[in-house]
Amino acid sequence: MSSFLHVSVSCIESIIDAPATLSKPNKRWHLAFATIYCSRALHSLLNKKSKKTSKLPLSTHSSVVLNVEPHLAFSYIDHTSLTEVVKKKNLDQLREFGGVARVADALKTDAKNGIHGDIEDIARRQKAFGSNTYPRPPAKSFFYFVLEAFKDLTILILLACATLSLGFGIKEHGLKEGWYDGGSIYVAVFLVISVSAVSNFRQNRQFEKLSKVSNNIKVEVVRDGHRQQISIFEIVVGDVVCLKIGDQVAADGFFLHGHSLQVDESSMTGESDHVEVNSHHNPFLFSGTKVADGYGQMLVTSVGMDTTWGEMMSTISRDLNEQTPLQARLNKLTSSIGKVGLAVAFLVLVVLVVRYFTGNTEDENGNQEFNGGKTKANDIVNAMVRIIAAAVTIVVVAIPEGLPLAVTLTLAYSMKRMMADQAMVRKLSACETMGSATTICTDKTGTLTMNQMKVTNYWLGKEPVEDSSSIDTHVLKLIQQGVALNTTGSVYRDALGSKIEFSGSPTEKAILSWAVLELDMDMEAIKQYYAILHVEAFNSEKKRSGVLMRKKADNTLHVHWKGAAEMILAMCSSYYDASGSIKNLDDGERMTFEHIIQGMAASSLRCIAFAHVQIPEEEQEISEGMQKLKEDSLTLIGLVGIKDPCRKGVRKAVEDCQYAGVNVRMITGDNVFTARAIATECGILRPDQDMNGEAVVEGEVFRNYTPEERMEKVGKIRVMARSSPFDKLLMVQCLKQKGHVVAVTGDGTNDAPALKEADIGLSMGIQGTEVAKESSDIIILDDNFASVATVLKWGRCVYNNIQKFIQFQLTVNVAALVINFVAAVSAGEVPLTAAQLLWVNLIMDTLGALALATEQPTKELMEKPPVGRTEPLISNIMWRNLLAQALYQIAILLTLQFKGESLFGVSEKVNDTLIFNTFVLCQVFNEFNARKLEKKNVFKGLHKNKLFLGIIGITIILQVVMVEFLKKFANTERLNWGQWGTCIGIAAASWPIGWVVKCIPVSEKPFLSYLKW
């Protein structure tokens, strides 16, 4: 018992005795803390005594470990208790603490202006409560990837072959020379595993870096009265964080103030229903949840590992072993080729065994090898060893172990380069899929336009206002109220008032800067005269926002609306004219206003309207009780036109996509006239297009089509205006049903369904909400459509590079397989040894993959139509190229095999070396042919690819070393200059052959269409 009660006397005194210097709220907090602590201690003692008799729990929720010696800077708050209050949503405990306001005082936070936020303040808070980070599970080590590589079936087959070859080699030739073939296969396996492990390890590291970038969310906080954006990792306990639709809640904490705030807690609870957060019933906010509606500010009480999200995330590691569709197809192709190799090897084994036992083979002296019972058992074993070694060699050459490696290298390289081109890949498969895209559905604001908005026009009544001094005083006050009170933005002035900063969405900032700088609005002063009762926050479906407020001076209720001009106009029954008089809005006047709105829209302006109504006294109680805003009989205050200029280079990017056979469609919330003007300016619409009205439709019209009409008309639509997120989703679904591969750009929370539904979801890095980013495959970091066109080019480049390598690799495999098979069956021996074939495979697989996988995107890629969803991996063009080169190599090498000795007057050993050397040099020259699948000029752009030239140089040097210096290992003889010249001449003939073959047309129907790779 004494140990249980052991608490330092000084510590208890420090808890009970409140310093005289404390403020009144802090004294209350201190007293509450001391009371809770002492009652807990007594309660736990009583509970120990009456353990057997009592059936009541020790405490419902309050079984909390108390920090008796808190940090000196915040010595009047028990952070552990506070953390538990939030985690367990204990409203009663929060009231015991004195409510959110008392917690803010204890955390030394001003609910309006936030913390001071200087370096010392941040450091104190981080020391007392920790930082907003959590430890990640340890990264996978290099050896993990080595072990993963060993699990590959190809590697296991090669290891089995190596073991057999080593054993048989030592049996036949002794240890000194018998280890070469088996040893070389082991070396090859080691190199393949090393390159594969290094590549995957580096890719893993790259993903880790990307993960850090994508997790580094920007959060808006209030510090020292100033709204500013900081990294999520810099948030500290006590911070006041601003929340709006689509934001991720950055830490645990309490709701301070705001309106209509609804949070999606499905990431924590699994429940899909949105939870309303308010001051009275549920002021608790949790890290990792998403804001679904409304806006507000929160007080941070727990960060990092003290949050539920932090505890959960620290145990989760992102699985990076994602296999892309192309990798899956290539693995299938590799296993198919492997099976063919095994079948051929088995056939060779049977043929050679039959030839041996039927007496059709001769030894080096020309004597019959098998002579029935006269042949020694040892000779039969040696012969069997030789036959099995030949079969093993065929298996080794048949397996294209470089194919999966080539994909890994290509994807890793392209991901790195796409990052430099302002595109962050979240899902590897998107790299490939983007190359097949047939249509791109893009947003307007911020993607096609610069998102730098400015109010350029203001209409009061039916007249444009050039000078704000001419506006009637009453109308001016109403405009200022409508801007100041119905906004999610803010205005910050420094102490001297010389520096003004605006925050919020680009539209909000444009309206606020216009009201402050041109209409001389004082936002803080206006807010003091009104109490906001209810807010309807803006979202992309309603396209408007409204506020119900009480004027403190006379208790009258007012409603202000702001939003899309034609929608606000439909809610109005009167308007203010230039003199400030209220005029009735009849059909004629309404038509006039519609023409004004259309005129602004045709000039590419976004048109926003302001309206106001004072609630009559008899309706005040109803309005206040229902918390619903009046939506009819409003008075139009005025119209503003906001200019958002098109981005530079957008027109060219759109034209590039269209030239590549990819349709660009614009889906926007703006009205038809603005949408048509911007689409024409960007090149999505031609000036003469949409004569029959099918190219531009409104979301509501599209939504109300029958399913048959939608499917019929969706292909012709180029612009969808006044669209809701549902319309966007509907369009994506229709396009996919028609067989299109659809890429979609999105930035809002409501775009998430369309981003997920699309084949490739592209979210915006600057304006995009966290919900949109999490639903996307690729994040466009600069929000620019030109970057979308670049992603398309890279996607095609990835697919094209892999096709080049497949063509190159299969040429090697087909040629080597046929040569060894024919030679083994006809002559009973293989001209290319296992060591030589592995050398060819290695330089072609690793170096060849590196050379062809790192080719840059070219303009030619954007001259071809998109690759279809079901088109075969090996196209007719590739079959034509690879079969022509393989047949040439087979013809030449078989001629050398059977006639080489007599043609060149050389020994069998030198002839075998000539075959090996010619075969390798044929691949080196064919590597140039593989650079272009269709173009005859294979040297175009060669000077730009220094890596390709370097690899060719390294391959030639290594081949010279292999032939001239590693004679025993490679089983070669030195060649003279003339013989080298002959080898080079024969190999160089593959260039003109490649040129001639590319003149042969190929049919559209896939060759071997019955085979599904």
Side-chain angles (χ1 to χ4, degrees):
M1 184 68 74
S2 59
S3 62
F4 181 77
L5 288 169
H6 181 69
V7 180
S8 66
V9 176
S10 58
C11 201
I12 290 173
E13 284 174 355
S14 71
I15 291 170
I16 294 168
D17 295 336
T21 53
L22 279 182
S23 63
K24 196 173 181 181
N26 276 346
K27 276 184 180 176
R28 281 180 184 165
W29 172 267
H30 188 276
L31 185 62
F33 172 73
T35 307
I36 293 162
Y37 175 75
C38 294
S39 64
R40 292 271 168 76
L42 288 167
H43 193 235
S44 61
L45 278 171
L46 286 167
N47 194 56
K48 276 204 165 191
K49 279 191 171 186
S50 56
K51 205 171 190 181
K52 291 175 183 174
T53 54
S54 174
K55 291 184 180 178
L56 290 170
L58 173 67
S59 170
T60 51
H61 123 93
S62 47
S63 51
V64 180
V65 179
L66 285 167
N67 179 9
V68 180
E69 296 182 358
H71 192 271
L72 291 174
F74 299 92
S75 54
Y76 311 114
I77 185 164
D78 174 24
H79 187 236
T80 315
S81 300
L82 188 60
T83 301
E84 290 297 315
V85 167
V86 179
K87 281 184 183 177
K88 296 188 177 178
K89 291 191 173 184
N90 194 320
L91 204 57
D92 294 335
Q93 188 83 46
L94 178 60
R95 284 174 185 146
E96 274 184 46
F97 285 169
V100 176
R102 297 287 180 264
V103 174
D105 286 344
L107 291 171
K108 301 181 181 176
T109 300
D110 184 310
K112 185 183 175 187
N113 296 321
I115 61 173
H116 288 298
D118 53 39
I119 297 167
E120 291 83 7
D121 186 24
I122 300 296
R124 276 197 305 273
R125 290 173 187 275
Q126 286 182 339
K127 191 174 180 182
F129 307 114
S131 61
N132 199 27
T133 54
Y134 43 84
R136 290 271 183 182
K140 290 169 182 171
S141 68
F142 175 72
F143 293 105
Y144 170 85
F145 294 101
V146 171
L147 287 171
E148 283 296 304
F150 269 111
K151 293 175 186 175
D152 188 356
L153 182 63
T154 308
I155 297 296
L156 295 175
I157 293 171
L158 285 174
L159 283 171
C161 291
T163 308
L164 287 171
S165 187
L166 188 67
F168 295 152
I170 293 169
K171 170 80 178 64
E172 191 173 357
H173 303 292
L175 184 60
K176 194 174 181 185
E177 293 183 5
W179 67 272
Y180 292 150
D181 275 5
S184 66
I185 301 175
Y186 276 123
V187 170
V189 169
F190 171 75
L191 285 172
V192 169
I193 284 173
S194 299
V195 173
S196 178
V198 167
S199 176
N200 287 330
F201 178 69
R202 288 187 64 187
Q203 194 177 333
N204 183 269
R205 285 282 177 271
Q206 196 174 340
F207 260 118
E208 291 290 335
K209 284 180 187 173
L210 289 178
S211 183
K212 282 178 185 172
V213 172
S214 60
N215 288 339
N216 189 12
I217 301 162
K218 292 293 177 191
V219 179
E220 197 171 70
V221 298
V222 179
R223 286 183 178 175
D224 208 17
H226 181 202
R227 270 202 196 192
Q228 52 190 281
Q229 284 207 332
I230 63 168
S231 163
I232 192 170
F233 303 128
E234 293 171 10
I235 284 179
V236 292
V237 170
D239 257 324
V240 173
V241 177
C242 304
L243 300 172
K244 61 182 185 300
I245 294 178
D247 282 354
Q248 178 176 312
V249 179
D252 286 4
F254 295 124
F255 174 84
L256 281 172
H257 46 79
H259 295 279
S260 312
L261 190 67
Q262 291 198 334
V263 176
D264 175 6
E265 292 186 355
S266 58
S267 59
M268 305 291 292
T269 62
E271 296 291 331
S272 56
D273 292 339
H274 296 159
V275 177
E276 188 172 345
V277 180
N278 52 45
S279 304
H280 308 296
H281 307 296
N282 178 30
F284 307 103
L285 286 153
F286 298 97
S287 175
T289 57
K290 308 284 190 305
V291 178
D293 201 1
Y295 61 90
Q297 291 187 341
M298 69 173 284
L299 171 70
V300 174
T301 58
S302 308
V303 291
M305 285 301 292
D306 288 333
T307 65
T308 314
W309 184 253
E311 287 173 14
M312 195 166 72
M313 289 304 288
S314 64
T315 61
I316 298 170
S317 62
R318 187 177 167 193
D319 184 20
L320 305 177
N321 295 329
E322 173 200 1
Q323 193 177 55
T324 70
L326 195 54
Q327 279 175 322
R329 286 171 84 184
L330 278 179
N331 284 339
K332 200 174 174 184
L333 177 63
T334 305
S335 69
S336 300
I337 295 167
K339 285 170 190 172
V340 171
L342 284 168
V344 171
F346 181 73
L347 190 63
V348 168
L349 186 69
V350 171
V351 170
L352 290 180
V353 167
V354 170
R355 274 173 58 93
Y356 176 78
F357 285 112
T358 53
N360 288 324
T361 56
E362 296 174 347
D363 61 16
E364 293 168 6
N365 302 321
N367 300 322
Q368 189 175 317
E369 278 192 300
F370 183 73
N371 239 342
K374 295 176 185 178
T375 311
K376 293 176 184 176
N378 194 43
D379 291 340
I380 294 173
V381 171
N382 285 341
M384 288 300 105
V385 164
R386 211 166 48 249
I387 289 167
I388 292 169
V392 165
T393 304
I394 285 172
V395 174
V396 168
V397 73
I399 295 172
E401 60 271 17
L403 281 181
L405 182 66
V407 186
T408 306
L409 287 171
T410 306
L411 290 174
Y413 175 75
S414 60
M415 270 182 67
K416 196 172 181 182
R417 294 307 301 262
M418 282 166 83
M419 191 73 175
D421 285 342
Q422 301 300 315
M424 189 177 86
V425 179
R426 294 184 75 250
K427 290 182 185 170
L428 267 178
S429 53
C431 287
E432 303 157 12
T433 317
M434 195 65 194
S436 306
T438 57
T439 189
I440 298 172
C441 299
T442 177
D443 283 343
K444 175 187 78 73
T445 307
T447 308
L448 297 171
T449 61
M450 293 175 73
N451 219 6
Q452 293 175 358
M453 300 190 185
K454 188 181 178 187
V455 174
T456 55
N457 292 37
Y458 172 58
W459 288 68
L460 179 56
K462 293 179 285 185
E463 295 174 24
V465 176
E466 301 296 333
D467 184 13
S468 60
S469 60
S470 63
I471 302 172
D472 176 74
T473 311
H474 175 63
V475 176
L476 183 65
K477 282 183 179 177
L478 285 175
I479 297 166
Q480 289 176 342
Q481 289 165 21
V483 173
L485 300 167
N486 186 13
T487 182
T488 54
S490 67
V491 179
Y492 171 76
R493 297 174 189 262
D494 63 8
L496 301 171
S498 57
K499 183 185 173 188
I500 303 174
E501 282 182 24
F502 303 99
S503 63
S505 70
T507 308
E508 294 283 12
K509 286 197 281 188
I511 293 170
L512 284 172
S513 63
W514 166 71
V516 170
L517 302 175
E518 293 191 27
L519 305 184
D520 203 24
M521 177 186 83
D522 187 340
M523 194 165 173
E524 292 304 315
I526 292 169
K527 281 184 174 181
Q528 286 172 8
Y529 294 113
Y530 292 88
I532 294 173
L533 303 177
H534 185 63
V535 170
E536 275 202 26
F538 179 90
N539 68 37
S540 53
E541 285 184 37
K542 295 181 288 189
K543 293 183 172 49
R544 65 186 189 198
S545 64
V547 61
L548 170 68
M549 59 205 187
R550 180 187 297 281
K551 191 174 182 181
K552 292 177 182 176
D554 56 9
N555 272 346
T556 53
L557 291 186
H558 300 260
V559 172
H560 274 279
W561 283 100
K562 172 182 76 180
E566 66 268 35
M567 293 192 172
I568 299 297
L569 183 66
M571 296 159 68
C572 294
S573 59
S574 56
Y575 69 93
Y576 283 100
D577 67 5
S579 64
S581 306
I582 296 178
K583 297 285 179 74
N584 188 42
L585 191 62
D586 58 26
D587 290 343
E589 300 287 357
R590 197 177 293 278
M591 189 74 76
T592 307
F593 277 106
E594 283 173 2
H595 284 308
I596 293 169
I597 292 166
Q598 288 170 17
M600 281 202 255
S603 305
S604 303
L605 298 179
R606 170 176 280 188
C607 199
I608 306 288
F610 293 90
H612 162 263
V613 67
Q614 181 174 336
I615 307 293
E617 277 186 41
E618 60 272 16
E619 292 179 28
Q620 283 196 12
E621 280 187 29
I622 301 167
S623 289
E624 215 171 337
M626 287 177 65
Q627 295 279 291
K628 185 163 171 51
L629 274 59
K630 189 176 171 67
E631 296 181 5
D632 53 16
S633 305
L634 308 180
T635 303
L636 185 71
I637 304 172
L639 304 168
V640 295
I642 300 174
K643 182 73 175 172
D644 185 13
C646 279
R647 286 181 180 273
K648 286 180 182 176
V650 158
R651 192 179 182 89
K652 186 181 181 306
V654 169
E655 285 169 359
D656 286 348
C657 290
Q658 290 169 339
Y659 187 59
V662 179
N663 286 317
V664 181
R665 304 167 203 272
M666 185 176 90
I667 302 175
T668 177
D670 283 341
N671 71 35
V672 171
F673 303 99
T674 308
R676 187 182 278 117
I678 294 285
T680 307
E681 198 177 333
C682 294
I684 293 169
L685 273 181
R686 293 189 306 277
D688 58 338
Q689 211 169 350
D690 196 37
M691 291 295 121
N692 57 3
E694 288 189 337
V696 182
V697 298
E698 283 195 339
E700 190 178 355
V701 175
F702 181 73
R703 198 184 316 144
N704 293 331
Y705 283 150
T706 64
E708 292 76 23
E709 282 178 319
R710 267 201 296 272
M711 291 301 288
E712 182 195 334
K713 296 184 178 184
V714 72
K716 299 170 188 172
I717 296 170
R718 290 291 169 272
V719 177
M720 190 194 283
R722 281 287 176 247
S723 66
S724 70
F726 175 74
D727 301 327
K728 196 174 192 175
L729 177 63
L730 204 57
M731 179 174 247
V732 172
Q733 288 169 339
C734 290
L735 288 167
K736 281 181 77 175
Q737 282 171 30
K738 283 187 79 85
H740 286 279
V741 179
V742 187
V744 168
T745 71
D747 55 10
T749 303
N750 292 326
D751 290 328
L755 288 168
K756 281 184 177 174
E757 180 69 27
D759 295 286
I760 312 103
L762 303 155
S763 65
M764 299 297 131
I766 299 169
Q767 283 299 317
T769 62
E770 289 312 310
V771 176
K773 287 177 189 175
E774 280 191 17
S775 303
S776 67
D777 305 307
I778 296 173
I779 298 173
I780 305 298
L781 298 173
D782 61 353
D783 288 18
N784 194 342
F785 185 80
S787 298
V788 177
T790 307
V791 170
L792 178 70
K793 198 183 287 184
W794 269 110
R796 291 191 173 191
C797 183
V798 167
Y799 198 85
N800 193 248
N801 284 352
I802 289 166
Q803 282 192 315
K804 289 174 190 175
F805 181 73
I806 291 170
Q807 178 188 298
F808 174 63
Q809 171 81 64
L810 291 188
T811 306
V812 179
N813 286 101
V814 170
L817 197 60
V818 172
I819 293 158
N820 270 17
F821 175 69
V822 172
V825 171
S826 59
E829 58 184 28
V830 287
L832 298 167
T833 66
Q836 290 172 348
L837 284 170
L838 275 161
W839 165 242
V840 173
N841 259 19
L842 273 178
I843 60 169
M844 299 310 118
D845 287 356
T846 51
L847 297 176
L850 203 59
L852 293 170
T854 54
E855 285 277 349
Q856 298 278 337
T858 59
K859 286 182 182 177
E860 295 156 17
L861 289 171
M862 301 294 272
E863 290 171 5
K864 295 186 291 182
V867 178
R869 202 187 283 268
T870 54
E871 280 193 33
L873 197 54
I874 306 173
S875 65
N876 287 3
I877 289 162
M878 291 164 68
W879 278 118
R880 177 195 67 189
N881 297 345
L882 80 86
L883 287 175
Q885 293 294 339
L887 287 170
Y888 169 68
Q889 290 177 22
I890 290 163
I892 287 295
L893 296 175
L894 286 178
T895 305
L896 286 174
Q897 168 70 14
F898 295 109
K899 299 288 182 184
E901 290 175 41
S902 57
L903 279 174
F904 297 107
V906 293
S907 66
E908 186 186 347
K909 200 83 180 278
V910 172
N911 190 49
D912 284 347
T913 306
L914 282 171
I915 292 170
F916 170 58
N917 202 32
T918 304
F919 186 58
V920 170
L921 291 174
C922 276
Q923 311 322 320
V924 171
F925 280 89
N926 193 34
E927 206 160 342
F928 286 87
N929 287 328
R931 288 188 71 242
K932 308 284 178 187
L933 296 177
E934 294 177 66
K935 300 288 179 183
K936 295 185 182 76
N937 182 7
V938 296
F939 305 107
K940 188 179 179 183
L942 186 63
H943 62 285
K944 292 178 183 174
N945 196 340
K946 303 286 192 294
L947 185 61
F948 183 90
L949 293 171
I951 285 169
I952 293 292
I954 290 166
T955 306
I956 292 167
I957 290 165
L958 290 173
Q959 178 61 15
V960 170
V961 169
M962 196 80 170
V963 171
E964 299 295 322
F965 303 104
L966 298 176
K967 294 195 296 176
K968 283 200 170 183
F969 178 75
N971 200 21
T972 56
E973 284 291 318
R974 285 193 171 185
L975 301 178
N976 59 38
W977 286 106
Q979 289 161 344
W980 270 100
T982 304
C983 293
I984 291 167
I986 292 168
S990 65
W991 284 352
I993 288 167
W995 193 90
V996 170
V997 164
K998 283 173 185 172
C999 297
I1000 302 168
V1002 290
S1003 69
E1004 291 293 318
K1005 190 180 177 184
F1007 178 62
L1008 297 178
S1009 56
Y1010 54 86
L1011 281 178
K1012 300 281 184 187
W1013 294 114

